[in-house]
Amino acid sequence: MSVVQRVAVFLSGRGSNAAALLQAQQQGRLTAGRIALVVSNRANAAGLQVAAAHGVPTYVWRTVAFESPTLATTTLLGVLNAHAIDWVVLAGYDRIIPAAVTAAYAGHIINIHPSLLPKFGGRGMIGRAVHQAVLAAGETESGCTIHWVTDALDEGGIIAQTRVPVLPNDSADSLAQRVLEAEHQLYPETLQRLLGSSLTCHEATHVLPTPVPTGGKEFK
Ligand code: GRF
């Protein structure tokens, strides 16, 4: 494994978390890793432009373009290998990651989810639907969660969370915006901690060793 860990960011759309990670890298807040590749399942994902603007290579991985799912997965693993990727960071990637990829990167693959998992996770809980469900449930707080990616959707061990309040007049959009701002802080900070950690984890259940209870954030 390289000293500065090489990171692939996976995204499907806007890419604001990818932008936050790249900005953190540019500003010297993310030094333990280097974003070496951005992968998207959509050729028109805005996040690909964000990557290109930072000079980061991109790869569009459309499974339908392959003869079989196995060939698609093998090809993706080959691309990750060719770029010497140590870590996979999901940032708004809206497809299930194949089991062969979670296995190859076990303990080195993480995701950010826009709720306080285990609440409001799982099938269908993406984008606006998450915030609508939080409001419908009458929650007084929400937030974002960074967790290990395993084959059980949104169920990998929790690494870090930031809590934000749900305000009385919130719409799904206003709550989404508040959570997104928290995501943009939490993802670079957590990635720096994870990549800089002496932790050598090969199991998806490992968590960060030191709790850092600052500014309403919980590292579990
Ligand atoms: C974020 O809210 C993230 O938590 C979720 O997908 C959204 C991606 O937004 N997994 P962006 O593409 O990073 O702007």
Side-chain angles (χ1 to χ4, degrees), residues 148-192:
W148 297 109
V149 174
T150 66
D151 292 334
L153 185 62
D154 294 335
E155 288 181 17
I158 291 172
I159 301 165
Q161 288 184 320
T162 300
R163 294 169 186 276
V164 303
V166 175
L167 301 179
N169 294 326
D170 262 336
S171 62
D173 289 340
S174 63
L175 179 57
Q177 184 56 34
R178 192 173 310 117
V179 171
L180 193 63
E181 283 165 22
E183 292 181 36
H184 295 165
Q185 291 295 318
L186 189 66
Y187 224 177
E189 275 177 30
T190 304
L191 193 57
Q192 173 71 0

Side-chain angles (χ1 to χ4, degrees), residues 64-138:
V64 290
F66 296 89
E67 270 171 33
S68 70
T70 305
L71 185 58
T73 301
T74 309
T75 304
L76 175 64
L77 284 169
V79 169
L80 296 176
N81 195 36
H83 286 267
I85 296 302
D86 301 306
W87 284 79
V88 171
V89 168
L90 307 185
Y93 187 72
D94 64 10
R95 287 285 162 86
I96 300 285
I97 296 290
V101 177
T102 55
Y105 282 90
H108 289 93
I109 178 166
I110 62 174
N111 180 44
I112 191 160
H113 184 81
S115 78
L116 294 173
L117 290 175
K119 286 183 165 183
F120 308 105
R123 202 160 286 281
M125 284 291 113
I126 57 168
R128 218 160 175 273
V130 176
H131 307 294
Q132 277 168 338
V134 168
L135 293 176

